[in-house]
Amino acid sequence: MFALGEGKTSGVAMPRRSPIDAAGQAADRTRPGMTMPAAHPGHEGFHHLAFLYRSSQEYLATLLAFARAGLARGEPVFIAVPGPAGEDLRDRLAPGAGHLAPGAGQVIFADMARMGLNPARIIPAVRAFIDAHPGRRVRYIGEPAWPGRSADELRETARHEALINSAFRDAPATILCPYDTTALASPVIADAWRTHPVILRQGREEVSPEYPGPGGVPPDCDAPLPAPPARAAWLRYTANLRAIRDLVASHAAQAGLTSGRGADLVLAVSEIAANTLRHTRDGGTLHVWRTPDSLICQLHDQGRITDPLAGRRRPALDVFGGQGLWVVNQVCDLVELRSGRTGTTVRLQMRLHPA
């Protein structure tokens, strides 16, 4: 599961100048010389681009042009970037800020540092936005990788970016994902090349020679998780879940989690353990330990999950079961899942000091 797909794009297309429409030309006249992103006029289907930028000026000008070009064509736009950048974009795209003609599309915002803290929550949010505008083409700006992310978070961010290609392959959507090449480590940028069919840099688009196709995930994303530390508390479970709930609740209280977040972690562990008992014969193992930043619970069993999008689709309200991973992704700060011939491991993290 999650192996790199076959059929890697052969060769590198010559970079092409991104087309500039009227909305793009007006996007940032105060910064002469800046080139604008592709507007994809008349394009159908799904487009997923990584935008590699080197300055705040390039970042702002490009995102504004991309959003305004879509809004001018009546395309709804969803912008999810971390921190103050979102407020700046919101101010410049406000209805009274000019640049938009009457009848322009709608724009909504989310703070990616909250919405995408656990990257597994991003695809459901984008799917909800697409589904809220049936029959219309939409645009999405999503910046899931930023300086300060942990190595675990960035690995799951790369998985998320790869899964976008299969989750939305038939959607009428253009997705632009900014990456700060001056602040992010080179492996993060390398993963951007692996997870995006098209790269936008210095105003030009080029086909990524590293992109393996919609089924491909960077190999590091499926590397085995490090073993729990020797100091970790652990127990086996085969039937009754009371013992694992008590163990997690005790460690949550000792770690200083609020009662609500402690209860969320107990719920998440219970969901995974119940799934073990429902689908396997041999039970599972729970480990619990604390780092300076997080309380971590890891569950392992002999089952296997073959759907790479498991837990990233909102379950139907009228369907019984199948909600375990969905619930886990919604309540935990990070979820790491590995599944293969040796079984399934799910590692859950709750920050000790959430922002």
Side-chain angles (χ1 to χ4, degrees):
M1 183 172 108
F2 301 118
L4 287 175
E6 301 293 332
K8 178 182 286 188
T9 304
S10 59
V12 180
M14 291 298 293
R16 64 182 186 273
R17 178 66 64 184
S18 295
I20 302 173
D21 61 13
Q25 290 174 343
D28 199 51
R29 287 176 177 160
T30 62
R31 297 183 179 89
M34 295 296 295
T35 49
M36 297 300 117
H40 295 290
H43 284 199
E44 300 295 332
F46 172 65
H47 302 279
H48 186 202
L49 304 88
F51 164 42
L52 308 185
Y53 68 93
R54 296 185 58 82
S55 71
S56 58
Q57 291 84 2
E58 182 186 15
Y59 174 89
L60 185 61
T62 301
L63 297 197
L64 285 173
F66 179 83
R68 286 171 179 159
L71 293 171
R73 277 191 284 277
E75 297 175 5
V77 176
F78 181 16
I79 299 176
V81 296
E87 294 302 320
D88 200 359
L89 290 167
R90 186 193 302 268
D91 292 343
R92 292 170 185 259
L93 291 170
H99 301 292
L100 300 180
Q106 301 170 328
V107 59
I108 66 169
F109 295 85
D111 182 357
M112 182 62 88
R114 299 178 69 86
M115 182 185 90
L117 175 61
N118 176 9
R121 291 201 288 259
I122 303 173
I123 283 176
V126 178
R127 170 53 65 187
F129 177 71
I130 293 172
D131 290 347
H133 302 91
R136 299 177 67 183
R137 183 164 196 84
V138 304
R139 292 189 178 210
Y140 167 63
I141 296 171
E143 188 172 10
W146 60 84
R149 281 278 218 185
S150 70
D152 295 341
E153 291 170 345
L154 288 169
R155 194 163 46 243
E156 292 308 310
T157 293
R159 182 190 301 279
H160 152 75
E161 288 279 48
L163 292 178
I164 277 182
N165 298 304
S166 52
F168 302 117
R169 62 193 307 172
D170 298 320
T174 304
I175 293 178
L176 184 69
C177 305
Y179 284 80
D180 186 346
T181 60
T182 67
L184 293 169
S186 56
V188 179
I189 303 303
D191 280 344
W193 283 86
R194 295 185 184 106
T195 57
H196 294 78
V198 178
I199 304 296
L200 172 66
R201 55 177 177 170
Q202 297 180 337
R204 296 178 182 272
E205 291 180 19
E206 55 190 287
V207 172
S208 172
E210 305 301 324
Y211 175 65
V217 172
D220 284 352
C221 293
D222 285 326
L225 294 169
R231 69 178 187 278
W234 67 277
L235 57 78
R236 289 274 303 164
Y237 57 95
T238 56
N240 193 316
L241 299 183
R242 178 65 180 269
I244 68 169
R245 290 172 179 147
D246 289 345
L247 180 65
V248 174
S250 172
H251 279 265
Q254 293 173 24
L257 292 184
T258 64
S259 59
R261 286 172 59 78
D264 283 344
L265 186 57
V266 171
L267 171 63
V269 169
S270 298
E271 289 287 342
I272 299 298
N275 192 66
T276 296
L277 301 184
R278 188 178 302 119
H279 297 289
T280 72
R281 298 178 179 178
D282 300 324
T285 303
L286 167 69
H287 286 83
V288 184
W289 70 97
R290 179 176 171 180
T291 71
D293 302 314
S294 299
L295 182 61
I296 301 175
C297 296
Q298 177 173 299
L299 299 97
H300 179 81
D301 63 36
Q302 296 304 308
R304 188 168 184 179
I305 297 173
T306 58
D307 179 5
L309 290 169
R312 299 173 197 248
R313 302 184 187 92
R314 183 182 294 274
L317 295 177
D318 58 349
V319 175
F320 176 76
Q323 300 186 18
L325 275 175
W326 168 267
V327 171
V328 169
N329 279 328
Q330 296 306 304
V331 302
C332 291
D333 294 334
L334 187 68
V335 178
E336 300 171 88
L337 187 151
R338 303 290 187 272
S339 192
R341 289 176 295 178
T342 60
T344 293
T345 300
V346 183
R347 182 172 289 185
L348 316 176
Q349 294 191 26
M350 293 293 270
R351 287 184 172 182
L352 300 182
H353 309 288

